Each structure stands twice: as structure tokens, then as C-alpha cells.
Amino acid sequence: MNTIQLTAADGHAFRSTSDTEVLVELIARHGVGGALERVEGIFGLAAWDRAEGRLWLARDRMGVKPLFYAAEGPRLLFGSQLSALEACPGFSATVDPAALSSLLAHGYVPAPGAIFSGVRKLRPGHLLSWRPGEVPAESAYWRLDDAIEAGRADPFAGTQEEAADELERLLGAAVRRQML
């Protein structure tokens, strides 16, 4: 995950080169929703808000990093791999017949489904909020349709050559950010 909105000039004394430290500071300053508006890149994250007694889970906009969860009574199990849930005492890894059908038909189980009954995959660009005793609540913090609509509302005004140059510049910048 990369961010370009928080620097040492913003008054934070960084103690590491970890993107996790940047993310924690963004959440402290802007809340989870505000932090997600400012981050770019691929991630699956969990953040515990001690003051609210609330767990937040979020998945990157394109869904590159998976994030699975299962609400089981008073607990919420989560992990980036199903094996993390399987390792939890008392977790029942029962195959969901509908998910198995999707897997055989399409070669994957589309989100929000997962191969195990009672397990969900957080959808790309979504945020989950949960408190003990509550049902997890998912909401979109980013939608591809909104990004497409914004592009249509403000289309590129240059020539094809200028568009190709701008695409090359943007792709180069994206690759550089991911290499940090």
C-alpha cells in the first residue's frame, strides 16, 4: 500500500519506513473512512478502535488482496487466507454447495461468497464495521462505477498522442509508487 498524502512535513515523526505506520497515523488523523480516501495500492486491513470498541476491516479498491470473515456468535474471525479461519478453535469448515458450484462453473467463487458456509469475502472497495454482539455491516468506500462516471463527466481533452503520453506518465507513476 502506498500513500502520498502524509509526510514528515505534516508534523509526524516517522520511526520506520513501514506503510503500516503511515496508515495508523492516517486513521488517527482522519478516521478509517478518511484514511481509505487517501490510500492507494493493494491491501487488506484490520483496525481496532479501542475508544468505540469497533473492528474495521477494509479491502483494496480492485480486490487484489483477499479478506475473508465469518461471524460466529460473539466473535468475528477474519484473515487474508481461509487457512487463518480454519486455524481458529471451533471453526467449522463445511463446504458451501452453491460456492462449490460457482467454483466448478467459473474457476473461482465470486465475492462476497467463499467456499465455506458462513464465510464471506469482503468485496473490493468495501469496509466492514463490527462490534461484539452486532451483525457485521459492509459498505462501499469506493466504487468503480463512480470512477467511470467521474471520467465521463470530465473526459481527457487532448489528442490521441497526448493521451498516450499521459497514460504512459500515469502508469509509470503508479509503478514507481508500488515499488516504494
Side-chain angles (χ1 to χ4, degrees):
M1 171 181 32
N2 299 310
T3 116
I4 54 174
Q5 285 76 16
L6 184 67
T7 66
D10 292 317
H12 181 73
F14 290 98
R15 292 184 284 268
S16 73
T17 58
S18 170
D19 54 4
T20 303
E21 183 181 1
V22 173
L23 184 58
V24 169
E25 183 65 18
L26 281 172
I27 291 171
R29 289 177 184 223
H30 305 287
V32 174
L36 291 172
E37 291 174 5
R38 292 166 170 80
V39 295
E40 299 173 357
I42 57 175
F43 61 88
L45 70 87
W48 176 253
D49 185 326
R50 190 178 318 156
E52 286 190 32
R54 180 176 302 281
L55 177 69
W56 298 96
L57 302 179
R59 189 169 177 205
D60 64 86
R61 294 173 181 179
M62 292 290 113
V64 175
K65 295 289 185 182
L67 188 51
F68 299 95
Y69 70 93
E72 290 192 338
R75 67 183 187 164
L76 185 79
L77 311 177
F78 63 91
S80 60
Q81 297 179 0
L82 287 170
S83 58
L85 279 65
E86 289 179 288
C88 294
F91 176 74
S92 175
T94 305
V95 173
D96 179 341
L100 180 59
S101 178
S102 288
L103 179 64
L104 294 174
H106 307 294
Y108 71 101
V109 179
I115 195 66
F116 296 137
S117 295
V119 175
R120 292 181 55 93
K121 187 185 317 173
L122 191 60
R123 290 174 286 176
H126 275 67
L127 174 67
L128 179 138
S129 169
W130 177 80
R131 277 188 188 159
E134 291 183 357
V135 174
E138 283 190 39
S139 60
Y141 70 86
W142 184 86
R143 292 177 7 96
L144 180 57
D145 290 346
D146 294 341
I148 291 169
E149 194 60 37
R152 287 184 176 146
D154 186 22
F156 186 79
T159 66
Q160 276 191 311
E161 184 175 296
E162 291 169 331
D165 290 344
E166 180 66 0
L167 177 60
E168 185 174 339
R169 184 191 70 74
L170 290 170
L171 287 173
V175 168
R176 282 190 296 282
R177 284 193 308 269
Q178 292 300 311
M179 294 177 63
L180 290 177

